Structure formats: structure tokens, C-alpha cells
Amino acid sequence: MGFDELRSNKSAQVLLGLFFGIIFGFLLHKGGVTQYDVILGQLLLTDFTVVKVMLSAVLVGMIGIHILKAAGLVRLHYKVGSAGATILGGLIFGAGFAILGYCPGTVAGAVGSGAADALIGVIGIVIGAAVFARFYPVLDRNILNKGVFPAETIPELLGVRPGIIVAVFSICIVGILYVLRMIGF
């Protein structure tokens, strides 16, 4: 099954999403980022396990997607962002992260490992999503489209080839990981 066939097969997408979600949760757990103490340590800047795992995931994902796109195996579909949507989403995400001690990805992994507090967090996420959906029309009219970004992607914004951005960000991520290791994190 090619990627174009997969795009039109909703059942296969759901099964693959479930399969890769389980793998992602397992890897988050193995990386230690589904543990409350590790996440709390990150928020207190005493344990950078979360940053290291997430930057590694971004690096692998960014390079992998770029290779798939360059090979013509996938087409990317962007949605133009805005300052309003980014600020509102950041505030909601940050508040939930600070209160619960998990982000949406790590909370699912924590539930899979049996953490009862994470299950309460998932219930909160579902309630929060329902509240967001209820108020979406109002938010869309008044906040989400304020300050629409002038381009869909960073390469478009800067007028450079995507490979340059991938290379620069890859060097930055490797540099950050190296510095964290050198200073003992």
C-alpha cells in the first residue's frame, strides 16, 4: 500500500495511528518521560531528560520527514498559523502541563504504565477539548485568526530551501544536546 492509497483508507490510518501511538508511548516510558518526578524535574530545571528526549524526537522526525518529502513519498499539508492561536494554545498547554505535570503525549504514556493521576489528566483533557469545541466558533472569530503569520513554513518565511532549515536546526539541536551533556545533564 502506497502513501496515496493510505491517505484514502481511513481504517488503515486509524490502525497505523494506534500502532505508532502505542510505540510512541512505549518509547516515552522507556525514556523516563512518563514519570511525574522526571517531568517535575524538567519544570524545575533540575532534570533535562524531557528536553533531551523531545529534542531527539524532533531531530529524528524532522530529518525523516524531509527525506520522505525529498524522495517524493509524502506531500506535506500545512495550515497557516497565527499569533492568536499560538498564544492561546501555548497558555492552555502550559497551564495544563503545570497543573497536571504531564503534556498530552506523556500523559497517555503514563496511563499506559498504570499511573492513576495521569488517568485523571486524560479525563481533564477530554473535558478541556469539549469546552474548546463548544467555544470554537467564538474563539475562531475573535482570537484564533488574529495576527496570521505571513508564511506557512519557516523556509517560505525566510525564502530559503527547506534542507537549509533542517541542517541549521539539526546543528542547533545537536549543539544543545552536547551542551546539556557537558554541563552534567
Side-chain angles (χ1 to χ4, degrees):
M1 177 181 292
F3 287 107
D4 285 333
E5 290 177 56
L6 179 61
R7 185 165 171 72
S8 63
N9 188 336
K10 298 292 182 198
S11 298
Q13 289 180 24
V14 169
L15 288 175
L16 283 173
L18 179 63
F19 175 72
F20 286 111
I22 290 170
I23 290 174
F24 182 67
F26 174 77
L27 293 174
L28 286 177
H29 182 72
K30 291 300 284 182
V33 296
T34 59
Q35 299 170 18
Y36 178 80
D37 292 339
V38 171
I39 294 172
L40 183 62
Q42 181 61 67
L43 293 173
L44 297 173
L45 304 178
T46 58
D47 182 343
F48 284 82
T49 301
V50 175
V51 167
K52 291 187 286 187
V53 168
M54 293 305 168
L55 285 178
S56 299
V58 167
L59 183 65
V60 171
M62 179 174 59
I63 292 171
I65 289 293
H66 184 70
I67 289 171
L68 290 172
K69 183 181 174 201
L73 297 173
V74 296
R75 285 176 282 140
L76 303 181
H77 306 275
Y78 304 103
K79 179 180 184 330
V80 68
S82 71
T86 302
I87 291 170
L88 179 62
L91 289 173
I92 292 171
F93 181 90
F97 198 174
I99 292 169
L100 180 62
Y102 297 106
C103 73
T106 58
V107 76
V111 167
S113 70
D117 61 331
L119 184 59
I120 293 169
V122 169
I123 294 168
I125 288 172
V126 171
I127 292 171
V131 169
F132 181 81
R134 172 67 180 90
F135 290 101
Y136 181 80
V138 174
L139 295 172
D140 190 47
R141 277 193 310 272
N142 299 309
I143 296 175
L144 300 180
N145 292 307
K146 298 291 183 194
V148 173
F149 297 152
E152 292 180 336
T153 66
I154 294 171
E156 285 177 15
L157 180 66
L158 299 177
V160 298
R161 296 177 54 164
I164 293 172
I165 298 299
V166 171
V168 169
F169 274 96
S170 295
I171 291 169
C172 290
I173 289 172
V174 170
I176 291 168
L177 293 172
Y178 180 76
V179 168
L180 287 174
R181 182 179 176 89
M182 293 305 293
I183 60 176
F185 289 109

